[in-house]
Amino acid sequence: MRGCTCFSFPSSPPIFSFYSNSNNRFSSSSSSSSLLFSSASHNCSVKLSPLLFANSTRFRTNCKAKDPEVVDCVGTGLDVECLVSQNEKQDLEIEYVEKAESNILLEWAVLVSPFFFWGTAMVAMKEVLPKAGPFFVASFRLIPAGLLLVAFANSKGKPLPSGLTAWLSIALFALVDAACFQGFLAQGLQRTSAGLGSVIIDSQPLTVAVLASFLFNESIGLVGAAGLVLGVVGLLLLEVPALALDDSNFSLWGSGEWWMLLAAQSMAVGTVMVRWVSKYSDPIMATGWHMIVGGLPLLGISILNHDPVFSGSFHELSASDLLALFYTSIFGSAISYGVFFYSATKGSLTKLSSLTFLTPMFASIFGFLYFGETFSPLQLVGAIVTIVAIYMVNFRGKPS
């Protein structure tokens, strides 16, 4: 209702409440001198103006709604109740549903983003490898990202690693999970497609399951064991095209699939090492430092190996090449790891595990769009079998 309604009370101010037509209160009352209730369809202000009037105090309420049919305020004793119309109730329900749907979409976007960044970073790395060199690209993906993570952890008050054991664990973690993994990955990308390489690398949960079973007595279970067997079959199908070359031309170290398999094993060992490293250092701080420490030897190898970027080809890098380098470091490492840790701390590990297959999917899609990369029929079967196996291993302990 428009205008104002005046009420007189002996001493204390009235208490205001809003109710829906079903008599459910959706906004609590207050006895302050000024109140403001607002929603998508109305703004209703309740102003208490004390007026000295003999032995009583008079209070004035102003209720102005966008829609005069939305709110109706009536005085009942010491209370003023504002009844909300059925239309307003429906608007509130719609607003709540839309907000819930928006939150769900945001949650899934956050969960999916690391796998999107990792998959597309494979494509970005492959684009710039010939111009910059494999070891330079590997080091550039690690060092700036590590500096960003360390700065972020420091801003959150995370302690720096301290003690010989902490730094020794980080150094070993850096050797396996950073230097070896990124070095093998860069070598493999020169010889195989981004999509195929991503499938092979993301087979690492198979190795992690075996290592965790031996080192931590974690049960694999029947489904997990079946997934391991299926995973070996899938990987063999992925490797067959490389092994089917003429014997005179075949070199194991010239096989991109072989380098990717080594990268997967390095990542698997690094994943198992995280539990040990986290005993002595903050996980995010350790992740940042292991990137920096692991990136330095790769940078040294890049200089000694005379990678193109150090042989006078740096000026040949275009703006898109530089953008690809920064994308692999900032989004493909720093942000993706940060978001992954954030999602893990929110109790979303099961969802994260189930989304592992998205990395090779994104790598395959963008590899096809940018480079026209395709799978052979046998590789496609192997990729599908491997992804199913990864799914089975990830859900080996899920209750039925």
Side-chain angles (χ1 to χ4, degrees):
M1 57 187 262
R2 296 186 181 275
C4 68
T5 304
C6 300
F7 303 94
S8 295
F9 304 95
S11 56
S12 61
I15 300 174
F16 295 89
S17 302
F18 279 79
Y19 291 82
S20 66
N21 279 357
S22 60
N23 207 31
N24 294 320
R25 191 170 75 176
F26 69 87
S27 180
S28 62
S29 61
S30 172
S31 57
S32 62
S33 62
S34 180
L35 304 174
L36 177 63
F37 300 93
S38 62
S39 71
S41 60
H42 74 277
N43 288 324
C44 183
S45 63
V46 180
K47 184 167 181 147
L48 309 183
S49 304
L51 302 173
L52 291 180
F53 216 0
N55 293 328
S56 65
T57 304
R58 193 179 184 193
F59 298 90
R60 178 169 303 210
T61 65
N62 294 317
C63 205
K64 297 180 180 180
K66 294 178 181 177
D67 182 356
E69 301 300 325
V70 167
V71 179
D72 185 23
C73 296
V74 295
T76 57
L78 291 178
D79 293 340
V80 175
E81 296 182 356
C82 297
L83 302 178
V84 182
S85 69
Q86 186 65 29
N87 290 337
E88 172 68 1
K89 179 184 176 183
Q90 292 175 355
D91 290 342
L92 289 172
E93 290 175 350
I94 293 173
E95 183 179 349
Y96 175 80
V97 171
E98 289 177 348
K99 185 176 181 180
E101 291 176 350
S102 176
N103 289 339
I104 292 173
L105 289 175
L106 180 61
E107 178 187 354
W108 276 103
V110 170
L111 286 173
V112 169
S113 62
F115 306 98
F116 174 82
F117 293 143
W118 285 328
T120 51
M122 296 275 286
V123 179
M125 286 181 68
K126 188 171 180 65
E127 180 183 3
V128 76
L129 275 173
K131 298 180 181 179
F135 293 108
F136 175 78
V137 173
S139 64
F140 194 87
R141 182 174 183 179
L142 289 171
I143 296 174
L147 292 172
L148 285 174
L149 279 178
V150 169
F152 173 78
N154 187 63
S155 69
K156 295 296 182 181
K158 304 296 183 181
L160 286 169
S162 61
L164 179 63
T165 306
W167 284 109
L168 179 62
S169 64
I170 290 175
L172 293 175
F173 186 38
L175 174 65
V176 175
D177 190 69
C180 288
F181 171 60
Q182 291 296 334
F184 294 154
L185 169 62
Q187 288 291 323
L189 270 179
Q190 292 185 110
R191 300 169 174 85
T192 189
S193 67
L196 176 58
S198 183
V199 173
I200 297 174
I201 286 178
D202 279 335
S203 68
Q204 56 88 19
L206 307 177
T207 306
V208 170
V210 174
L211 292 175
S213 176
F214 282 104
L215 297 176
F216 307 123
N217 295 321
E218 292 186 4
S219 175
I220 296 179
L222 183 61
V223 175
L228 289 175
V229 174
L230 198 61
V232 172
V233 173
L235 288 173
L236 288 175
L237 292 174
L238 290 172
E239 300 284 348
V240 163
L243 299 174
L245 297 175
D246 185 77
D247 291 340
S248 61
N249 296 327
F250 177 74
S251 170
L252 185 64
W253 296 105
S255 167
E257 289 81 3
W258 171 248
W259 285 105
M260 288 299 187
L261 189 61
L262 290 177
Q265 306 319 303
S266 300
M267 186 178 182
V269 175
T271 301
V272 174
M273 290 178 68
V274 167
R275 186 178 297 185
W276 171 58
V277 175
S278 298
K279 290 181 179 180
Y280 308 105
S281 307
D282 173 76
I284 299 179
M285 188 68 80
T287 300
W289 277 109
H290 107 286
M291 287 182 173
I292 298 171
V293 175
L296 291 176
L298 290 173
L299 182 61
I301 295 174
S302 174
I303 296 172
L304 295 175
N305 196 48
H306 301 290
D307 273 354
V309 75
F310 294 113
S311 302
S313 298
F314 181 80
H315 65 278
E316 296 180 6
L317 295 178
S318 64
S320 63
D321 295 329
L322 294 175
L323 184 63
L325 282 172
F326 281 103
Y327 181 84
T328 59
S329 183
I330 297 174
F331 289 92
S333 292
I335 293 178
S336 55
Y337 272 106
V339 173
F340 187 85
F341 273 118
Y342 171 81
S343 298
T345 58
K346 295 297 181 181
S348 303
L349 284 175
T350 302
K351 289 182 180 179
L352 288 173
S353 297
S354 68
L355 295 175
T356 303
F357 72 93
L358 290 176
T359 301
M361 186 190 77
F362 286 126
S364 300
I365 291 173
F366 284 89
F368 172 76
L369 292 176
Y370 278 88
F371 306 118
E373 296 176 346
T374 58
F375 285 58
S376 70
L378 195 59
Q379 288 174 331
L380 184 60
V381 173
I384 294 173
V385 170
T386 303
I387 289 171
V388 171
I390 294 169
Y391 184 88
M392 292 172 67
V393 170
N394 281 333
F395 279 82
R396 64 187 184 275
K398 185 178 179 180
S400 57

